[in-house]
Amino acid sequence: MVKWFSLGFWALLARLVLRNRVAILISVVLITIFLALQWKNIKFTYTEANLLPDNEIASIEYNAFLEKFGEEGNLIIIGSKNDSLFTPEIFENWCKMMRQFQENKSVDLVLSIDNLKELKKNDSLQTFELKPFLDNSKLKDAKYLSDKVNELRNDLPFYEGLLFNKKSGTIRGAIYLDKKIVNTAERKDFVLEILNPAVEKFELENKIDLHISGMPYIRTMSTETIKGEIGMFIGASLLITSLLFFFFFRSFRATLISIIIVIIGVMWSFGILGLFNYEITILTSLVPSLIIVIGIPNCIFLTNKYHQEYKVHKNKAKALQRVTTKIGMATLITNLTTAIGFGTFVTSNNDLLIEFGIVTAINIFALFFLCLFVIPIFHSYIPAPVERHLEHLDRGSVRRFMDWILRNIKTNRVKIYAVAGIFAVLSIIGILQMKVTGSIIEDMPKKTEFFQDIVFFEDEFDGIMPLEIVIDTKRKKGVMKASTLRRMEEFETKIQKIEGLSKPISVVNLVKYAKQAYYNGNPEYFELPTSQEQSFILSYVKNTAKDSKDNVLKSYVSDDGQFARITTFMRDDNGENMPAIEASIRKIADEVFPKDAYEVNITGKSLVFQRGTNYLLDNLLSSLVFAFFLTALLIGFMFRSFKMILVALIPNLLPLLMTAGIMGYFGIPLKPSTILVFGIAFGLSVDDTVRFLSQYREELRNNKWKIKKSVYATFNDAGLSMFYTSIVLFFGFSVFMLSSFGGTIALGGLVSITLCFGMLSNLMLLPALVLTMNKRLANAQELPEPNIRLREYSDAEIDDLDNKKL
């Protein structure tokens, strides 16, 4: 294997490339056409990202909850805080809009004040019936509407928190989508083609602002935002990297071929997504831009080496062949380490990350071969570089900066280590201040209207993220036992005092409402029946439940009556407090429900997402360790030295520590988006390390294993390219800060910062460590070797030298 990639192999490959230029270009065109045909399979995801595998206990409990009580993510809510809504003309328009939604095939149920049902007692059948709350014939009477709204707010406490906020007067309606279309394109069609136009028309005609939210709506609008940003990222990445490339090389032709190469890479990336039938998610949507940002550095290294070689001997053919021969192996290894950095996501046991890792790793390898073949072929067809194209090799400001670094490496290595140590200590202090959060909407685009609506509903109804508590009574029909209901009421009263939770909703509310209905709707009787009342009131409830069409219990009690559901809501910004909230709930549950008779499980999207964040953190840290391990193996294979493994890892560990420390100091939490930073940044930062060490290995051979000479030669040859590529990567990832998604902004900004630290670390700390770790050997190589020198002289020559000294 080593011989296959020896110097002879790369020399042979260089000759084959230049001798088969037309065949290679035709192959590139055919591959591009084939992958372009796969674009028809590209589709955007309509499912919610699941951070937990199905065999995790939290996933098992959540799926069991969904089987008993149905999908909880099919609710869209529309609300208003404007009392003008209840003027007859405007309210009539509201009713028309809600009926329009109800008549749509994508909607299962609409619950609003206009179609609200009131629980009424039917003594003849000993049951409760749902009767319309409003009389449609009186809706044009302003006083009637006003009285009914007051009745709703004052006499129907069951609907408080569901349809209205008594303190602020906010009213909302609920649209329950058909569960079958929640994770399909039909959901998008309903939101974009039916819901949004109807709401916009209502607002325009009635001069009233409406607020829309709910997970189906949030997911749809987020996807649409992602679609809009893909083109922006590609355009911005292409613009800034091409401008930097031209600034460095001052060559339109070299810039043009680099742009063409990365555009082909982008086309291939979309084709590979379609070929594998992967959906475009918030992560895979970044792949095309990543290809541009990662591809341009490959073009820089190859072009820079071509210019360096041509400047020495002014022979274009010889220079093009030596580009592949001299840095082919180094470029292969650096692309391999980048692919490893992304490929380690495959070990995360998370479909979202696995797909991202596979697609990115494949595209990085494809882009490597594309650059290695096409750049020499392109330059073989165009004229040789002129003097202005080579000026960048001796550009004053950059050269002075590089010379300053080299002087410090030679004379101030102790200061370099001292500064690195100080930064490491400060970083560790910052890391100790880091927090972990599992917020579902924290990374949502905060400037968009739909995010402002999320904030509105969180403020008005104490959050929109459901937290579900399932009570298992361990026996059929155990929920409706009076003792169980009493315990549930006590439990709800106590958990309502936990900061961050809204008023709980459960069968207890329904039974209280039943008692109120039994006493002719008197709100003073909104309470659980006494022991004397329970037999006849609960019998009414059970008789009502027998009618499957109007089973008022089905949302709160399982079909067999064994499981009860308690729903509370929490603000999304309480995600980092979830462990404390969960612990408080479990403590109260243990106090209220005897374990021999009841089992209490806590689930819901809020908890599952928080658990998923912790799970993802563990997996990505494992992936990062795995990436370190693979890099160590690669360096060990190259040098057969444990010292060189440390030399390679330390300069890349320090930037990660510094970024983590910054996150701690500035209160940036660990979450799915920021966790990704470390794996991506390591995969890119270690490129410079491996490139430097690979070329250092070649320089050792060329300089008869002279360490200092080889280090300085490597720095002079590769240092400029490392600086150029790091600048391109820094600005390339900064493009992601144009996003409206907080997670993408954090990803772009933190990766850019890490790569900046990584550049300085690899340019200063890495060469210094190579010299220090081999200090004794390097010093010995600088001393004269008297024994060797004596053996080179004959006896007569030695006598002659002695006579001269005398």
Side-chain angles (χ1 to χ4, degrees):
M1 178 67 76
V2 177
K3 292 181 180 179
W4 292 357
F5 294 102
S6 63
L7 194 63
F9 167 82
W10 294 105
L12 174 63
L13 181 64
R15 288 196 296 272
L16 289 174
V17 169
L18 292 174
R19 289 177 182 176
N20 298 277
R21 296 177 294 178
V22 175
I24 291 173
L25 291 177
I26 291 174
S27 299
V28 170
V29 172
L30 292 176
I31 292 172
T32 304
I33 292 173
F34 169 74
L35 291 175
L37 293 175
Q38 308 305 311
W39 292 4
K40 64 180 182 294
N41 299 322
I42 295 175
K43 54 184 179 293
F44 282 83
T45 183
Y46 295 105
T47 58
E48 193 171 354
N50 184 17
L51 304 181
L52 279 176
D54 292 337
N55 59 355
E56 283 290 312
I57 184 64
S59 287
I60 293 173
E61 291 179 351
Y62 183 65
N63 290 330
F65 164 80
L66 294 180
E67 288 179 8
K68 294 182 181 69
F69 300 102
E71 171 67 48
E72 64 164 348
N74 65 331
L75 173 64
I76 296 177
I77 50 179
I78 304 176
S80 175
K81 200 174 180 179
N82 194 328
D83 285 337
S84 298
L85 178 66
F86 299 106
T87 57
E89 183 179 352
I90 296 177
F91 189 72
E92 182 181 1
N93 292 335
W94 170 273
C95 296
K96 288 179 181 178
M97 181 178 67
M98 288 300 181
R99 281 196 297 270
Q100 177 187 351
F101 297 148
Q102 181 66 76
E103 292 167 1
N104 191 277
K105 64 179 182 178
S106 299
V107 175
D108 187 35
L109 172 69
V110 172
L111 180 62
S112 172
I113 186 173
D114 57 288
N115 66 357
L116 191 63
K117 298 296 179 66
E118 191 176 4
L119 205 61
K120 295 290 186 179
K121 180 177 62 170
N122 186 325
D123 288 323
S124 61
L125 298 177
Q126 291 192 334
T127 185
F128 292 112
E129 296 176 337
L130 292 173
K131 298 291 186 180
F133 177 65
L134 295 178
D135 184 347
N136 292 332
S137 64
K138 299 180 180 180
L139 294 184
K140 293 185 178 181
D141 185 342
K143 185 177 186 306
Y144 172 79
L145 270 180
S146 177
D147 290 342
K148 295 302 287 185
V149 170
N150 289 330
E151 182 183 341
L152 173 67
R153 291 170 176 169
N154 298 315
D155 297 343
L156 294 175
F158 175 75
Y159 289 108
E160 185 177 356
L162 276 175
L163 293 183
F164 68 91
N165 180 331
K166 188 174 181 178
K167 294 180 179 178
S168 67
T170 300
I171 295 287
R172 67 179 181 180
I175 302 171
Y176 292 88
L177 296 183
D178 185 345
K179 296 171 184 176
K180 296 177 183 177
I181 66 105
V182 169
N183 294 320
T184 69
E186 290 183 51
R187 181 199 76 208
K188 177 204 72 173
D189 295 339
F190 172 77
V191 170
L192 299 181
E193 298 174 14
I194 305 298
L195 178 69
N196 284 352
V199 170
E200 289 172 6
K201 180 181 178 183
F202 178 89
E203 290 179 325
L204 186 63
E205 291 179 350
N206 301 283
K207 310 302 180 186
I208 290 181
D209 290 332
L210 298 183
H211 303 273
I212 316 172
S213 195
M215 291 311 299
Y217 181 77
I218 293 172
R219 286 159 56 190
T220 300
M221 300 309 294
S222 295
T223 300
E224 291 304 301
T225 306
I226 292 172
K227 286 182 181 180
E229 290 190 349
I230 290 178
M232 178 188 69
F233 288 151
I234 293 174
S237 300
L238 200 58
L239 176 64
I240 194 166
T241 53
S242 58
L243 286 176
L244 286 169
F245 190 96
F246 179 77
F247 175 77
F248 292 147
F249 295 102
R250 306 297 168 89
S251 169
F252 284 107
R253 291 168 178 168
T255 305
L256 177 63
I257 188 56
S258 299
I259 293 174
I260 292 173
I261 286 173
V262 294
I263 288 177
I264 293 174
V266 169
M267 296 174 68
W268 287 11
S269 68
F270 281 118
I272 290 172
L273 281 170
L275 184 65
F276 290 169
N277 286 311
Y278 287 163
E279 295 178 336
I280 294 183
T281 64
I282 193 168
L283 279 183
T284 53
S285 67
L286 303 179
V287 172
S289 301
L290 284 173
I291 294 306
I292 295 173
V293 174
I294 294 172
I296 289 294
N298 275 340
C299 298
I300 286 176
F301 262 97
L302 292 167
T303 305
N304 193 61
K305 186 62 180 176
Y306 169 54
H307 286 180
Q308 287 175 334
E309 289 293 329
Y310 183 80
K311 184 178 182 181
V312 172
H313 46 68
K314 303 297 182 180
N315 187 322
K316 186 174 80 169
K318 185 178 180 181
L320 288 173
Q321 183 160 336
R322 285 191 173 183
V323 167
T324 305
T325 303
K326 287 193 172 184
I327 67 170
M329 186 64 179
T331 308
L332 171 64
I333 293 176
T334 52
N335 280 268
L336 177 63
T337 54
T338 303
I340 287 173
F342 286 96
T344 51
F345 292 139
V346 175
T347 65
S348 66
N349 198 24
N350 177 272
D351 291 340
L352 192 70
L353 290 174
I354 289 172
E355 292 178 4
F356 175 66
I358 290 174
V359 171
T360 310
I362 291 175
N363 278 285
I364 288 170
F365 268 117
L367 194 63
F368 160 69
F369 288 108
L370 191 63
C371 293
L372 191 69
F373 293 165
V374 174
I375 285 182
I377 290 174
F378 174 80
H379 283 287
S380 70
Y381 282 116
I382 66 174
V386 297
E387 192 60 34
R388 66 184 174 84
H389 297 153
L390 306 177
E391 290 177 355
H392 69 94
L393 298 173
D394 299 306
R395 192 168 290 145
S397 57
V398 176
R399 179 52 59 191
R400 285 193 294 272
F401 176 67
M402 302 303 290
D403 290 343
W404 175 79
I405 292 177
L406 189 57
R407 284 196 304 274
N408 281 283
I409 294 170
K410 290 179 178 180
T411 61
N412 294 315
R413 290 200 290 275
V414 174
K415 290 183 179 179
I416 292 175
Y417 300 143
V419 172
I422 291 171
F423 278 121
V425 172
L426 293 175
S427 299
I428 292 172
I429 295 173
I431 290 172
L432 296 176
Q433 302 176 40
M434 291 179 70
K435 298 179 180 180
V436 178
T437 179
S439 171
I440 297 176
I441 66 169
E442 184 178 8
D443 288 336
M444 294 286 179
K446 292 181 171 54
K447 294 182 180 179
T448 58
E449 186 176 351
F450 78 86
F451 184 85
Q452 300 304 318
D453 287 345
I454 292 173
V455 175
F456 171 81
F457 283 109
E458 287 211 326
D459 291 340
E460 292 296 319
F461 295 93
D462 296 324
I464 60 171
M465 296 302 157
L467 185 64
E468 305 285 355
I469 303 164
V470 179
I471 312 296
D472 181 3
T473 63
K474 299 184 179 181
R475 54 180 175 174
K476 306 297 182 185
K477 301 181 180 179
V479 172
M480 299 307 293
K481 297 290 183 182
S483 58
T484 299
L485 294 172
R486 294 290 179 192
R487 291 182 186 277
M488 289 179 63
E489 181 185 38
E490 179 185 356
F491 176 73
E492 292 177 17
T493 302
K494 290 183 176 181
I495 66 170
Q496 192 172 350
K497 296 177 182 178
I498 298 175
E499 186 176 357
L501 296 184
S502 68
K503 176 184 175 183
I505 304 169
S506 74
V507 67
V508 172
N509 302 70
L510 185 57
V511 173
K512 289 180 178 180
Y513 188 25
K515 181 176 177 178
Q516 178 186 353
Y518 186 83
Y519 287 102
N520 301 315
N522 188 337
E524 294 182 3
Y525 288 95
F526 186 76
E527 60 186 11
L528 285 179
T530 63
S531 55
Q532 292 81 14
E533 298 167 326
Q534 66 185 25
S535 59
F536 51 87
I537 292 180
L538 291 183
S539 67
Y540 272 62
V541 174
K542 291 175 182 177
N543 290 336
T544 306
K546 290 178 182 178
D547 185 351
S548 59
K549 183 179 179 180
D550 291 322
N551 186 351
V552 293
L553 296 177
K554 63 182 180 181
S555 297
Y556 306 101
V557 182
S558 61
D559 292 338
D560 58 7
Q562 179 176 333
F563 297 90
R565 168 189 184 181
I566 300 175
T567 301
T568 182
F569 295 88
M570 58 183 294
R571 296 178 62 91
D572 189 69
D573 54 15
N574 282 321
E576 64 184 70
N577 300 323
M578 177 61 76
I581 291 174
E582 183 184 1
S584 299
I585 293 174
R586 291 196 183 281
K587 181 181 179 182
I588 295 171
D590 291 340
E591 295 172 356
V592 175
F593 297 102
K595 290 187 177 181
D596 58 336
Y598 300 93
E599 183 178 341
V600 180
N601 290 320
I602 306 172
T603 185
K605 289 189 182 294
S606 300
L607 183 135
V608 171
F609 196 85
Q610 175 66 33
R611 294 279 182 83
T613 300
N614 292 329
Y615 179 85
L616 193 61
L617 175 60
D618 293 339
N619 275 267
L620 286 176
L621 288 177
S622 300
S623 299
L624 189 60
V625 171
F626 185 58
F628 269 85
F629 175 72
L630 290 178
T631 303
L633 282 181
L634 183 62
I635 300 301
F637 176 76
M638 289 171 58
F639 290 95
R640 307 294 199 279
S641 168
F642 180 72
K643 285 183 179 180
M644 293 306 293
I645 292 175
L646 292 178
V647 165
L649 293 182
I650 291 174
N652 291 288
L653 179 60
L654 181 61
L656 300 183
L657 289 175
M658 292 172 68
T659 300
I662 288 174
M663 290 172 63
Y665 285 121
F666 286 91
I668 303 172
L670 274 177
K671 51 187 177 180
S673 54
T674 55
I675 292 170
L676 290 173
V677 167
F678 300 98
I680 293 175
F682 176 77
L684 294 171
S685 176
V686 79
D687 269 9
D688 282 344
T689 303
V690 175
R691 196 183 297 272
F692 184 95
L693 293 179
S694 297
Q695 192 156 342
Y696 167 64
R697 187 166 173 264
E698 296 300 322
E699 293 292 344
L700 282 174
R701 292 174 179 170
N702 298 334
N703 294 294
K704 299 179 180 180
W705 306 99
K706 298 288 186 180
I707 292 174
K708 284 187 176 181
K709 188 175 181 181
S710 299
V711 169
Y712 300 151
T714 302
F715 183 89
N716 287 326
D717 195 37
L720 187 61
S721 294
M722 290 167 63
F723 174 76
Y724 283 170
T725 55
S726 296
I727 294 298
V728 169
L729 288 171
F730 175 83
F731 284 103
F733 273 94
S734 297
V735 164
F736 294 126
M737 297 180 69
L738 297 174
S739 173
S740 53
F741 287 88
T744 308
I745 294 172
L747 180 70
L750 291 173
V751 169
S752 297
I753 291 172
T754 309
L755 292 176
C756 185
F757 291 148
M759 176 191 71
L760 295 174
S761 183
N762 280 304
L763 284 176
M764 300 186 74
L765 187 58
L766 176 61
L769 285 171
V770 173
L771 291 171
T772 299
M773 289 290 188
N774 299 280
K775 182 177 181 181
R776 182 177 299 177
L777 182 58
N779 289 338
Q781 291 172 344
E782 299 296 322
L783 296 174
E785 301 179 26
N787 292 333
I788 295 175
R789 186 173 296 171
L790 286 173
R791 286 199 295 270
E792 291 178 349
Y793 291 95
S794 65
D795 292 337
E797 288 172 327
I798 294 173
D799 291 337
D800 184 58
L801 288 171
D802 289 339
N803 291 331
K804 287 181 178 180
K805 289 180 180 179
L806 292 172

